[in-house]
Amino acid sequence: MTIATADLYDERGDELDSLSLPMIDLGGHVAFDGPIRTVRCHRDNALVKKVLATPGDGAVLVVDGGGSLESALVGDLIAASAVDNGWAGVIVNGAIRDRAAMAELPLGVKALGSNPRKSAKDGVGEVDVTVTIAGVVFAPGRHVWADADGVLVER
């Protein structure tokens, strides 16, 4: 990412939405951007794992876990798969695990927090659907930018 989200917002303003959740930077890259892909799931990361095991081509996976911190939706092995498959980053409305290992990976990761508890592996959820997190619409194919200041999304 070559432009800071604050500068991008100054340039484009009303063309963008700003996510107001207090996300934590947990990956090796703080700044990242790309086209949006999505997974909606609750305490079940099978679809997250499946999607991140496919070619990312610089995309950002937005995972709507409903804000639950009860179990992790991304861990170090899934994040390493994302790196291997060319994903720019992952934004999780929920928890991740393996924070120390994830911080060493060349991947942008933002989440609400962490929890060492594993999630279910049943494959319950939806892929590439529009998700709304804290009033911000994340539609597949739109662009998202993230850095230390926050997350911006094309309207």
Side-chain angles (χ1 to χ4, degrees), residues 50-73:
K50 182 177 179 180
V51 171
L52 291 175
T54 65
D57 301 318
V60 175
L61 183 64
V62 177
V63 180
D64 184 5
S68 174
L69 297 174
E70 297 175 66
S71 61
L73 294 174

Side-chain angles (χ1 to χ4, degrees), residues 53-146:
T54 65
D57 301 318
V60 175
L61 183 64
V62 177
V63 180
D64 184 5
S68 174
L69 297 174
E70 297 175 66
S71 61
L73 294 174
V74 179
D76 63 339
L77 298 178
I78 292 174
S81 174
V83 170
D84 291 344
N85 286 294
W87 289 83
V90 182
I91 298 171
V92 182
N93 182 25
I96 62 98
R97 59 188 253 153
D98 304 311
R99 287 175 73 150
M102 207 170 293
E104 299 297 319
L105 294 173
L107 180 71
V109 179
K110 284 189 173 283
L112 295 178
S114 63
N115 187 330
R117 180 183 296 147
K118 290 183 178 184
S119 67
K121 313 286 186 235
D122 299 324
V124 176
E126 301 172 277
V127 175
D128 288 329
V129 296
T130 298
V131 298
T132 302
I133 301 171
V136 174
V137 175
F138 292 85
R142 289 190 185 160
H143 207 87
V144 62
W145 295 264

